């Protein structure tokens, strides 16, 4: 089914207009008694979305979202959240990569993938996190799980059949058991998937007189096993002990088919490249928590230990067919990557009688990774192999004071971090990377209540974003004889300064954010004129700056609940080696429309998109994506949901940029058009769980 973008944009604007008209008809003054606007609920009934100064909270447990089985897919349905095409990273519009917290405890993508959606109560998108959420990240996705209290048992069994280009199947269970002071949780998912992906790139290298382009597609057969389990023991009302283990085992087999045109001066080649690939990715994470109330000094103490391991093995056999002659073996690539991370932390919290709260503590973490690179070149009849070893140590201390003075809520915090990094090839006597640096990260928040219906908040933060450990490895993906996707061991952290002002009136808000980033990470080209090979990887650009004006506009009218987000963003990316075109304001928009229908049916129509983005170095296309779902519960135990995602097959990303005098145009197709049916059966009941677990490793989201 095809529809032109102007028609879709017209439909989007029509829905926005209807929402504003209905809102104008429905707006009435609200009771101002004891309303301090710390969290404003959209209506008197429990609704899916609530808004507080642009921070959006989603009620997953009591909405159609509880039928989505994949947590990453669930996040992609929420306002401001963007999922990468490989589903390995999350970003917030205008904020970059967020931190992920589960029950106020730090988590990573692997923990998120191991979480059962049926166990989630709410998800909150926090755009002005305090210093207790660590120095890394300008935004936080806070996931709160369901609670229980009485001795009981509950189990959910679910099955989803998904139809994209190929069929995908999700099967799993999630169980909870509580007896006296002991509580146990366990989950297991088996996903048999067949994702498809395709992209094309055309580029020019004027200094080498090269013009080239390629089209590549791949179909992956993936078996994914996700498991998690843990024990929680409540010693008394104030103290507890817990242990938890979760992990993911994933096996991929995939063929990559690439059709390439390459013109080097007067020589032209048409090449068909076929690569047979096998990949194993395994992750396991375990942690031990102990919490105790020190009554003599009226302070809560937390001690935690955490260990994580991620390993990947990628084997590739490549053959090339030049100019429709015959295929010939090119390379046998055997690459391995392993990272181990250990962390320990101590947190203390003391509350004073005048509503002041003092939090302080320290953290130590150590990461050690190894990359094994072994490539045999059939054409040259030679073998290249080496190891790259990377070590990183982080030590941090922090202190934060929060409270309320008259009508002003405040939070003031400071974090000090020392980082020691060393990287070395096994074949070299000296280190390629040897750094030791210390940084300060202040954060402040002030919120003023003007009256019962209006408030103003002001925030400032300095934060850091470190590269993923796998980005600092030597693993590369062979596309064709002229093009390789690689990594960059020389990446350094990005430092970010952000200041924002928000105004809230009832449940609607407007927020202005100014930011400046030092050493932001974006795509880069490196050309080797000796081998005529172009490597596409990441590098640190010089700076990035801009501002966002964000409107959050929810309303409810009879059976219709609507949440709208509008973000006017201007982002400027600069680098001496990149061609700066122009930087213009673009619009991101999101609308969720939920309709409560008779016979316990719930229908949801949502859409999001953005206008064309010009961000200095990069230029990206406009997008408009529509999703819809229909859900119904049958009795107390059965639930059925139908989902239809990317209705108009418009998940297409294009990008243009020039760097190192190399011009590029890229187009990525994502297999997002999907119809799925989910059945869930639940039995037993858990009420008011007191289960707690706390992640210790603040860099866990980098383990991939």
């Amino acid at each position: 089914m095809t529809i032109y973008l102007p028609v879709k944009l017209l439909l989007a604007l029509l829905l926005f207009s209807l929402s504003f008209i209905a809102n104008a008809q429905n707006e009435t003054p609200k009771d101002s008694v004891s309303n301090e606007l710390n969290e404003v609920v959209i209506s008197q009934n429990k609704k899916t979305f609530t808004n507080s100064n642009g921070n959006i909270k989603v009620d997953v447990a009591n909405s159609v979202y509880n039928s989505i089985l994949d947590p990453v897919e669930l996040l992609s349905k929420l306002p401001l959240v963007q999922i990468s095409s490989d589903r390995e990273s999350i970003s917030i519009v205008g904020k970059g990569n967020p931190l992920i917290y589960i029950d106020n405890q730090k988590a990573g993508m692997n923990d998120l993938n191991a979480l059962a959606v049926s166990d989630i109560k709410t998800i909150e998108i926090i755009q002005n996190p305090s210093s207790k959420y660590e120095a890394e990240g300008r935004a936080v996705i806070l996931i709160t799980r369901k609670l229980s209290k009485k001795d009981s048992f509950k189990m959910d069994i679910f099955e989803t059949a998904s139809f994209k280009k190929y069929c995908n199947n999700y099967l799993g269970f999630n169980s909870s058991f509580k007896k006296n002071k002991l509580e146990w949780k366990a989950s297991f998912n088996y996903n048999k998937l067949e994702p498809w992906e395709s992209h094309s790139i055309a580029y020019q290298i004027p200094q080498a007189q090269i013009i080239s382009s390629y089209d590549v597609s791949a179909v992956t057969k993936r078996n994914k096993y996700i498991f998690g389990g843990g024990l929680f023991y409540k010693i008394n009302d104030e103290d507890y002990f817990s242990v938890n283990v979760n992990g993911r085992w994933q096996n991929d087999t995939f063929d990559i088919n690439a059709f390439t045109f390459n013109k080097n001066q007067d020589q032209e080649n048409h090449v068909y490249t076929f690569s047979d690939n096998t990949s194993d990715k395994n992750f396991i994470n375990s942690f031990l928590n102990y919490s105790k109330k020190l009554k003599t000094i009226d302070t809560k103490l937390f001690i935690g230990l955490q260990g994580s391991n991620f390993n990947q093995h990628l084997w590739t056999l490549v053959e090339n067919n030049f100019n429709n002659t015959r295929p010939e073996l090119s390379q046998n690539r055997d690459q391995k990557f392993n990272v181990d991370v250990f962390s320990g932390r101590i947190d203390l919290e003391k509350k004073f009688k005048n509503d002041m709260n003092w939090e302080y503590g320290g953290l130590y973490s150590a990461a050690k990774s190894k990359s094994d690179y072994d490539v045999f070149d059939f054409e040259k009849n030679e073998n290249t192999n080496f190891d790259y070893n990377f070590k990183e140590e982080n030590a941090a201390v922090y202190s934060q004071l929060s409270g309320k003075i008259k009508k002003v809520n405040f939070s003031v915090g400071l974090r000090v971090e020392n980082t020691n990094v060393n990287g070395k090839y096994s074949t070299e006597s000296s280190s390629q990377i040897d750094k030791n640096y210390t940084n300060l990260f202040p954060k402040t928040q002030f919120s003023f209540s003007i009256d019962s219906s209006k408030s103003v908040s002001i925030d400032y933060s300095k934060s850091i974003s470190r590269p993923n450990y796998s980005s600092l490895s030597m693993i590369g993906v062979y596309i064709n004889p002229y093009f390789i996707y690689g990594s960059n061991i020389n990446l350094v952290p990005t430092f970010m300064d952000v200041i924002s002002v928000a105004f809230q009136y009832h449940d609607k808000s407007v927020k202005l954010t100014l930011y400046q980033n030092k050493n932001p990470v974006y795509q880069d080209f490196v050309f080797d004129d000796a081998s005529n090979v172009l490597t596409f990887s990441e590098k640190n650009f010089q700076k990035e700056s801009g501002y966002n004006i964000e409107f959050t506009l929810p309303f409810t009218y009879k059976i219709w609940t609507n949440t709208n987000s509008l973000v006017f963003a201007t982002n400027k990316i600069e680098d001496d080696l990149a061609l700066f075109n122009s930087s213009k304001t673009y619009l991101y928009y999101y609308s969720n429309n939920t309709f409560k229908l008779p016979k316990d049916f719930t229908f949801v129509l949502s859409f999001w998109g953005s206008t064309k983005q010009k961000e200095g170095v990069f230029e990206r296309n406009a997008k408009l994506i529509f999703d819809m779902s229909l859900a119904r519960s049958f009795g107390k135990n059965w639930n059925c949901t139908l989902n239809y995602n990317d209705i108009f097959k418009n998940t297409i990303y294009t990008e243009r940029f020039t760097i190192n005098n190399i011009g590029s145009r890229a187009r990525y197709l994502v297999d997002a058009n999907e119809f799925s049916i989910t059945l869930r059966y639940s039995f037993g009941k858990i009420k008011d769980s007191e289960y707690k677990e706390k992640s210790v490793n603040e860099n866990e989201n980098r383990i991939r």
Side-chain angles (χ1 to χ4, degrees):
M1 184 175 184
T2 305
I3 186 169
Y4 293 107
L5 181 61
V7 177
K8 290 185 282 187
L9 185 58
L10 181 61
L11 178 58
L13 293 175
L14 177 61
L15 282 172
F16 271 118
S17 300
L18 288 173
S19 69
F20 295 145
I21 293 171
N23 186 31
Q25 294 174 343
N26 194 50
E27 183 75 77
T28 56
K30 297 184 179 180
D31 186 2
S32 61
V33 179
S34 69
N35 182 4
E36 295 182 355
L37 288 177
N38 291 327
E39 180 175 341
V40 179
V41 181
I42 291 177
S43 72
Q44 295 177 351
N45 298 322
K46 194 169 188 179
K47 300 302 178 183
T48 302
F49 294 89
T50 59
N51 169 42
S52 176
N53 292 319
N55 296 327
I56 297 174
K57 191 172 185 179
V58 186
D59 180 8
V60 176
N62 299 296
S63 70
V64 70
Y65 292 114
N66 68 3
S67 63
I68 301 174
L69 296 179
D70 183 353
V72 177
E73 180 69 20
L74 168 59
L75 289 175
S76 72
K77 306 289 187 184
L78 305 185
L80 306 176
V81 178
Q82 305 280 278
I83 307 297
S84 65
S85 58
D86 60 4
R87 298 174 64 83
E88 291 294 332
S89 64
I90 299 172
S91 63
I92 302 295
V93 174
K95 295 289 185 178
N97 300 116
L99 298 175
I100 302 172
Y101 274 74
I102 300 176
D103 289 339
N104 284 315
Q105 299 137 23
K106 182 73 178 293
M109 286 295 294
N110 292 292
D111 296 286
L112 182 64
N113 283 317
L115 183 64
V117 174
S118 59
D119 205 27
I120 297 176
K121 181 181 179 183
T122 61
I123 297 177
E124 187 172 4
I125 302 167
I126 303 173
Q127 299 195 64
N128 53 342
S130 65
S131 58
K132 76 175 183 178
Y133 289 113
E134 323 308 348
E136 185 160 348
R138 291 164 50 190
V140 167
I141 294 178
L142 175 61
I143 299 173
T144 303
R145 297 186 302 177
K146 297 175 182 176
L147 305 174
S148 70
K149 192 184 281 189
K150 298 181 180 179
D151 293 351
S152 47
F153 172 79
K154 183 181 180 182
M155 178 176 286
D156 292 331
I157 302 174
F158 46 84
E159 161 68 22
T160 292
S162 167
F163 304 93
K164 297 185 178 181
K165 279 187 178 293
Y166 302 95
C167 295
N168 299 273
N169 191 77
Y170 303 79
L171 175 66
F173 78 87
N174 180 46
S175 64
S176 300
F177 171 79
K178 188 176 187 301
K179 181 69 174 178
N180 298 325
K181 295 183 177 181
L182 183 66
E183 188 169 347
W184 168 75
K185 287 180 178 288
S187 63
F188 179 80
N189 296 333
Y190 170 60
N191 302 334
K192 190 173 182 61
L193 312 175
E194 201 165 352
W196 171 90
E197 57 184 319
S198 174
H199 72 269
S200 61
I201 292 181
Y203 60 90
Q204 296 182 5
I205 311 176
Q207 66 269 28
Q209 300 183 49
I210 291 176
I211 299 174
S212 189
S213 63
Y214 73 79
D215 289 278
V216 63
S217 63
V219 177
T220 302
K221 295 185 181 296
R222 174 175 299 160
N223 292 306
K224 181 188 286 189
Y225 304 87
I226 302 171
F227 65 90
L231 292 171
F232 170 78
Y233 182 73
K234 184 177 181 181
I235 302 172
N236 54 47
D237 290 341
E238 301 287 350
D239 308 335
Y240 73 85
F241 169 84
S242 69
V243 59
N244 192 78
V245 178
N246 59 60
R248 181 185 67 180
W249 296 333
Q250 179 176 315
N251 174 263
D252 295 345
T253 57
F254 54 100
D255 299 334
I256 298 179
N257 299 273
F259 296 87
T260 305
F261 167 77
N262 184 271
K263 182 179 180 181
N264 189 337
Q265 299 183 25
D266 296 327
Q267 182 180 2
E268 293 187 7
N269 283 303
H270 295 265
V271 187
Y272 167 63
T273 302
F274 174 83
S275 61
D276 182 15
N277 301 270
T278 299
S279 173
D280 293 312
K281 291 183 179 181
N282 302 317
F283 168 78
I284 190 166
N285 179 37
S286 59
F287 45 87
L288 189 68
N289 294 169
Y290 174 66
S291 180
K292 182 175 179 59
K293 180 67 174 293
L294 304 176
K295 297 182 179 179
T296 54
I297 57 175
D298 193 25
T299 299
K300 184 184 295 184
L301 168 70
F302 171 82
I303 301 175
L305 301 174
Q306 183 170 356
S308 306
N309 171 266
F310 174 79
N311 67 79
Q312 178 181 2
H313 183 192
L314 175 62
W315 174 84
T316 304
L317 182 64
V318 183
E319 61 180 30
N320 292 312
N321 185 331
F322 283 81
N323 301 312
N324 200 26
T325 54
R326 63 185 181 88
E328 295 182 351
L329 289 174
S330 175
Q331 291 188 3
N332 186 349
R333 304 170 64 87
D334 190 7
Q335 302 173 90
K336 298 177 182 178
F337 174 70
N338 184 86
V339 58
D340 293 291
V341 184
F342 170 79
S343 300
R345 69 180 299 156
I346 297 178
D347 295 316
L348 297 105
E349 180 180 0
K350 181 176 178 60
K351 294 185 177 181
F352 299 92
K353 294 181 179 180
N354 57 354
D355 292 331
M356 297 293 180
N357 190 45
W358 182 30
E359 298 171 88
Y360 56 100
L363 166 85
Y364 172 79
S365 68
K368 182 179 181 180
S369 70
K370 182 179 181 180
S371 304
D372 297 330
Y373 181 89
D374 190 345
V375 175
F376 179 77
D377 192 313
F378 290 95
E379 299 171 4
K380 299 179 181 179
N381 194 29
E382 64 180 25
N383 193 74
T384 303
N385 62 75
F386 55 81
D387 298 336
Y388 178 72
N389 299 288
F390 175 83
K391 295 181 180 179
E392 180 179 285
E393 292 181 309
N394 288 288
V397 293
Y398 74 94
S399 179
Q400 175 178 293
L401 181 66
S402 59
K404 184 176 182 179
I405 300 176
K406 296 183 178 180
K407 292 185 177 183
V408 179
N409 290 283
F410 73 91
S411 175
V412 179
L414 178 65
R415 187 178 185 86
V416 183
E417 291 190 0
N418 174 261
T419 302
N420 188 4
V421 181
N422 183 273
K424 180 180 179 297
Y425 288 105
S426 58
T427 56
E428 301 289 339
S429 58
S430 59
S431 298
Q432 275 65 43
I433 299 174
D434 190 3
K435 299 178 181 179
N436 191 314
Y437 52 89
T438 301
N439 300 105
L440 301 178
F441 300 99
K443 288 192 176 184
T444 60
Q445 295 180 327
F446 295 93
S447 179
F448 309 87
S449 295
I450 299 173
D451 56 31
S452 61
S453 62
K454 295 183 286 292
S455 66
V456 175
S457 62
I458 302 173
D459 307 285
Y460 168 76
S461 68
K462 186 178 183 64
S463 57
I464 186 173
S465 177
R466 295 184 173 91
N468 300 323
Y469 294 117
S470 60
S471 298
L472 305 172
S473 72
M474 294 303 301
I475 286 184
V477 178
Y478 184 102
I479 299 298
N480 60 45
Y482 316 104
F483 198 98
I484 291 178
Y485 278 91
S487 52
N488 184 358
I489 64 173
N490 296 305
L491 289 176
V492 299
T494 301
F495 293 90
M496 300 165 286
D497 287 276
V498 182
I499 186 169
S500 63
V501 179
F503 172 75
Q504 178 142 348
Y505 176 66
H506 290 303
D507 56 358
K508 298 165 182 60
S509 64
V510 58
K511 186 173 186 177
L512 171 64
T513 301
L514 306 174
Y515 60 88
Q516 181 169 296
N517 302 336
K518 180 183 177 183
N519 303 324
V521 176
Y522 287 100
Q523 296 88 352
D524 179 36
F525 285 123
V526 178
F527 179 66
D528 185 343
D529 54 6
S531 62
N532 285 329
V533 172
L534 184 66
T535 300
F536 185 73
S537 61
E538 294 180 323
K539 80 160 216 172
N540 292 102
F541 282 54
Q542 283 183 310
K543 64 178 180 179
E544 177 181 11
S545 59
Y547 65 88
N548 302 322
I549 302 176
E550 178 184 339
F551 297 87
T552 303
L553 306 165
F555 86 92
T556 299
Y557 182 72
K558 296 184 178 179
I559 65 169
W560 183 12
T561 299
N562 173 269
T563 299
N564 299 302
S565 290
L566 292 170
V567 180
F568 294 89
T570 301
N571 190 39
K572 183 167 66 174
I573 304 167
E574 301 176 77
D575 191 84
D576 286 343
L577 298 178
L579 176 65
F580 186 91
N581 292 310
S582 63
S583 180
K584 296 184 178 180
T585 301
Y586 69 92
L587 169 65
Y588 164 88
Y589 45 91
Y590 169 92
S591 181
N592 176 281
N593 303 271
T594 302
F595 301 88
K596 291 291 186 181
L597 304 177
K599 303 293 184 180
D600 293 326
F601 280 97
T602 301
F603 175 73
V604 177
L605 173 65
S606 63
F607 62 88
W608 71 271
S610 65
T611 58
K612 190 174 184 178
Q613 297 172 237
K614 292 186 176 182
E615 300 178 305
V617 174
F618 297 95
E619 183 178 309
R620 300 181 174 95
N621 65 308
K623 293 177 286 291
L624 181 56
I625 313 297
F626 282 82
D627 301 325
M628 64 182 181
S629 63
L630 180 66
R632 186 171 189 255
S633 297
F634 299 89
K636 296 181 179 180
N637 303 102
W638 288 94
N639 179 275
C640 179
T641 303
L642 303 177
N643 287 291
Y644 190 14
N645 298 325
D646 189 14
I647 300 171
F648 302 116
K649 299 182 180 180
N650 201 30
T651 307
I652 301 172
Y653 301 90
T654 64
E655 186 176 68
R656 298 168 62 100
F657 64 95
T658 298
I659 185 170
N660 286 326
N661 294 319
I662 300 171
S664 167
R665 301 191 315 274
R667 185 173 185 263
Y668 301 88
L669 299 178
V670 180
D671 189 15
N673 179 252
E674 175 189 34
F675 175 78
S676 67
I677 179 169
T678 300
L679 288 174
R680 175 186 285 113
Y681 178 71
S682 304
F683 59 91
K685 193 173 185 181
I686 290 283
K687 296 182 178 179
D688 301 330
S689 168
E690 295 172 286
Y691 192 98
K692 299 176 183 178
E693 59 193 25
K694 188 166 185 177
S695 178
V696 178
N697 180 16
E698 297 175 359
N699 295 305
E700 188 178 330
N701 59 318
R702 299 169 61 200
I703 306 175
R704 61 172 184 263

